[in-house]
């Protein structure tokens, strides 16, 4: 009897599973449709000032007991004095090599002991000292962050060590086609007289000439409360943080010196080709581009959609063409480097040397065709790609701090991120075509190729795209520095 019942139950369950499986048979006739664009509301944040005028933006996020505090100074590598390129980035790097009463090792040990993270860095127009820590260690971590930001040691022996490290990097760049391509592309678009056109780490002459007094002068000129702001995100409250930040930064006094006026940016007026010779290189690094747009351009949303179609996603035209259809490369893409002043538009890839000319033709084909009106389905796919991925950019306290920092630097409205998806979804095919015609002109672009000249030059010349300028690695980077102790 028990055996009969077991057989009946098994049979009923099996029949049910078959019915359920039949009812839920997946539709594999095409990819699933994307859901509606998500609604995203930026969490509310507060603004206040410390007694010294230092501005603070604070967003409470209580899900985890962590806090992120970023001190941002409005000075970066674009403010490097003439002949002292690399000064801003060296100043930031040296701030982590001893602060207050602690030398470099003691500072690193103190940060590790708290389970915190503190770092200093320099961007093109800002420098920052960021700190992330458990709320339980916040007071001690804030004190260390304040020492790093306000009382860096700038020890001579640490500067000598950093100097040697950077000179070694310059030597290593000679064997790195990607680094060579980046240096040459920036120079070809902006020129060596503009801060956007030179390496942010400096050249051999500026690195060797850098003195401790230079770092202190840069720090004194720009690291002042009138030229800075704080971003705070985490499991804290405004009253709580007002007191803690006042204790850490309230006694900071001073007024920043004036920043130098930046040279005007001139758009390219013709197509150029530069080959940087790397004999025997199995690949060619391709960089194509021109001056793009500033971060605050009214065309920002249309540019984001246009670039997603052209080269800003895996399914973009450039990647589908060069990787999926032709197999020239592991990946190809494009981007806009949005900055205070118009940053670069760049299309790039590393391709097999033997197909450099063919790959270049496909690049030019896509750069030309993006000027035509895009199909509706492709437009919708690009807008959904941006919109559906947007909320993931706000997951951590660090993510939120970065977003708030962007709001302050570019003076964006408080509801900017809450309106972002709506603005992206409002982009039309006509908008995409308009910005493509305005910013993507394949007849007025710099083409930089870093590869084996003997193997690629004749084929590139046969394309008759533009006259070719041939350069050596030394033409781009200068003679290799002689670094003590380096073979």
């Amino acid at each position: 009897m028990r055996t009969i019942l077991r057989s009946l139950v098994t049979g009923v369950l099996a029949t049910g599973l078959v019915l359920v499986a039949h009812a839920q048979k997946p539709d594999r006739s095409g990819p699933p449709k994307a859901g509606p664009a998500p609604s995203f509301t930026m969490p509310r944040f507060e603004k206040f000032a410390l007694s010294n005028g230092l501005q603070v933006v604070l967003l409470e996020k209580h899900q985890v007991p962590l806090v992120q505090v970023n001190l941002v100074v409005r000075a970066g590598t674009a403010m490097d004095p003439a002949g002292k390129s690399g000064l801003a980035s060296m100043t930031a790097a040296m701030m982590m090599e001893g602060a207050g009463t602690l030398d470099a090792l003691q500072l690193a040990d103190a940060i590790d002991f708290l389970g915190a993270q503190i770092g200093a860095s320099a961007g093109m127009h800002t420098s920052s000292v960021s700190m992330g820590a458990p709320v339980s260690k916040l007071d001690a971590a804030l004190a260390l962050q304040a020492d790093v930001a306000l009382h860096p040691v700038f020890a001579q022996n640490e500067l000598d060590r950093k100097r040697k490290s950077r000179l070694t990097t310059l030597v290593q760049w000679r064997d790195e086609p990607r680094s060579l391509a980046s240096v040459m592309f920036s120079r070809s678009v902006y020129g060596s007289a503009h801060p956007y056109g030179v390496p942010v780490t400096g050249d051999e002459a500026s690195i060797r000439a850098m003195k401790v007094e230079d770092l202190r002068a840069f720090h004194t000129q720009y690291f002042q409360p009138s030229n800075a702001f704080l971003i705070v995100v985490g499991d804290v409250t405004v009253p709580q943080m007002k007191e803690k930040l006042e204790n850490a930064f309230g006694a900071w006094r001073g007024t920043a010196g004036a920043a130098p006026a930046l040279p005007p940016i001139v758009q390219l007026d013709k197509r150029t080709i530069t080959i940087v010779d790397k004999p025997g290189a199995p690949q060619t690094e391709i960089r194509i581009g021109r001056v793009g747009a500033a971060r605050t351009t009214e065309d920002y949303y249309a540019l984001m959609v246009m670039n997603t179609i052209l080269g800003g996603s895996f399914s973009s035209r450039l990647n589908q063409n060069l990787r999926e259809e032709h197999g020239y490369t592991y990946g190809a893409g494009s981007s806009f480097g949005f900055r205070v002043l118009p940053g670069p538009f760049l299309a790039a890839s590393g391709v097999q040397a033997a197909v450099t000319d063919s790959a270049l033709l496909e690049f030019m084909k896509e750069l030309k065709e993006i000027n035509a009106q895009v199909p509706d389905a492709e437009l919708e796919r690009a807008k959904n790609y941006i919109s559906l991925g947007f909320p993931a950019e706000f997951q951590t306290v660090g993510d939120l701090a970065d977003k708030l920092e962007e709001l302050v630097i570019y003076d964006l409205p408080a509801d900017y991120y809450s309106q972002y998806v709506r603005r992206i979804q409002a982009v039309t095919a006509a908008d995409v075509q308009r910005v493509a015609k305005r910013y993507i002109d394949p007849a007025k672009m710099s083409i930089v190729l870093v590869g084996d000249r003997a193997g690629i030059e004749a084929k590139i010349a046969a394309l008759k795209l533009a006259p070719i300028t041939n350069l050596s690695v030394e033409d781009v980077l200068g003679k290799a520095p002689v670094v003590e102790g380096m073979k």
Side-chain angles (χ1 to χ4, degrees), residues 263-287:
I265 290 176
V266 180
Q267 182 60 278
L268 302 180
D269 59 1
K270 61 182 178 182
R271 182 190 293 152
T272 62
I273 299 178
T274 304
I275 295 179
V276 181
D277 191 19
K278 281 291 293 178
Q283 287 199 155
T284 301
E285 288 294 329
I286 298 177
R287 302 290 184 271

Side-chain angles (χ1 to χ4, degrees), residues 228-268:
F229 60 90
L230 281 163
I231 301 291
V232 182
V233 180
D235 188 18
V236 292
T237 63
V238 170
Q240 179 186 7
M241 286 308 293
K242 276 185 177 178
E243 180 181 355
K244 293 181 184 297
L245 295 175
E246 195 68 46
N247 291 337
F249 295 99
W252 187 20
R253 293 288 188 275
T255 302
L262 297 179
I265 290 176
V266 180
Q267 182 60 278
L268 302 180

Side-chain angles (χ1 to χ4, degrees), residues 161-425:
R161 186 175 62 81
K162 286 284 185 187
R163 190 195 323 274
K164 185 175 180 179
S165 174
R166 289 202 172 189
L167 292 173
T168 302
T169 298
L170 293 186
V171 174
Q172 293 169 338
W173 279 2
R174 284 158 172 74
D175 293 323
E176 297 174 0
R178 289 183 180 180
S179 299
L180 279 165
S182 295
V183 171
M184 191 58 229
F185 175 75
S186 297
R187 185 186 305 172
S188 68
V189 173
Y190 291 99
S192 55
H194 196 283
Y196 287 5
V198 299
V200 299
T201 55
D203 56 27
E204 181 185 3
S206 65
I207 293 171
R208 288 197 186 281
M210 218 169 280
K211 301 176 181 177
V212 163
E213 290 74 17
D214 296 324
L215 308 184
R216 289 188 176 135
F218 187 90
H219 183 268
T220 300
Q221 181 173 359
Y222 294 115
F223 278 71
Q224 301 294 347
S226 62
N227 195 43
F229 60 90
L230 281 163
I231 301 291
V232 182
V233 180
D235 188 18
V236 292
T237 63
V238 170
Q240 179 186 7
M241 286 308 293
K242 276 185 177 178
E243 180 181 355
K244 293 181 184 297
L245 295 175
E246 195 68 46
N247 291 337
F249 295 99
W252 187 20
R253 293 288 188 275
T255 302
L262 297 179
I265 290 176
V266 180
Q267 182 60 278
L268 302 180
D269 59 1
K270 61 182 178 182
R271 182 190 293 152
T272 62
I273 299 178
T274 304
I275 295 179
V276 181
D277 191 19
K278 281 291 293 178
Q283 287 199 155
T284 301
E285 288 294 329
I286 298 177
R287 302 290 184 271
I288 307 170
R290 64 204 304 261
V291 176
R295 176 63 181 84
T296 52
T297 174
E298 59 185 10
D299 294 328
Y300 180 79
Y301 302 97
L303 284 173
M304 290 294 290
V305 175
M306 185 273 289
N307 188 64
T308 299
I309 295 170
L310 174 62
S313 64
F314 188 85
S315 60
S316 68
R317 293 182 180 186
L318 284 173
N319 199 54
Q320 289 299 304
N321 182 329
L322 279 92
R323 175 194 158 101
E324 300 297 309
E325 181 179 345
H326 289 99
Y328 293 155
T329 176
Y330 288 116
S334 63
S335 62
F336 279 84
F338 292 111
R339 300 171 182 169
V340 172
L341 299 178
F345 163 75
L346 170 66
S349 183
V351 304
Q352 304 166 51
V355 297
T356 301
D357 57 330
S358 301
L360 186 53
L361 279 182
E362 295 305 321
F363 263 108
M364 303 311 290
K365 168 179 171 287
E366 298 298 349
L367 292 172
K368 180 180 178 181
E369 291 187 357
I370 194 64
N371 280 267
Q373 182 163 321
V374 299
D376 289 343
E378 195 174 22
L379 174 67
E380 291 306 309
R381 186 167 65 242
K383 292 194 293 188
N384 286 337
Y385 176 86
I386 298 171
S387 300
L388 294 170
F390 188 63
E393 299 177 23
F394 297 81
Q395 291 185 332
T396 69
V397 292
D399 293 339
L400 285 162
D402 290 344
K403 293 297 186 186
L404 289 175
E405 190 175 316
E406 192 175 2
L407 282 186
V408 178
I409 292 172
Y410 297 107
D411 195 24
L412 301 172
D415 66 346
Y416 175 80
Y417 293 120
S418 298
Q419 298 297 322
Y420 189 90
V421 170
R422 183 185 66 78
R423 299 288 298 271
I424 287 292
Q425 289 295 323

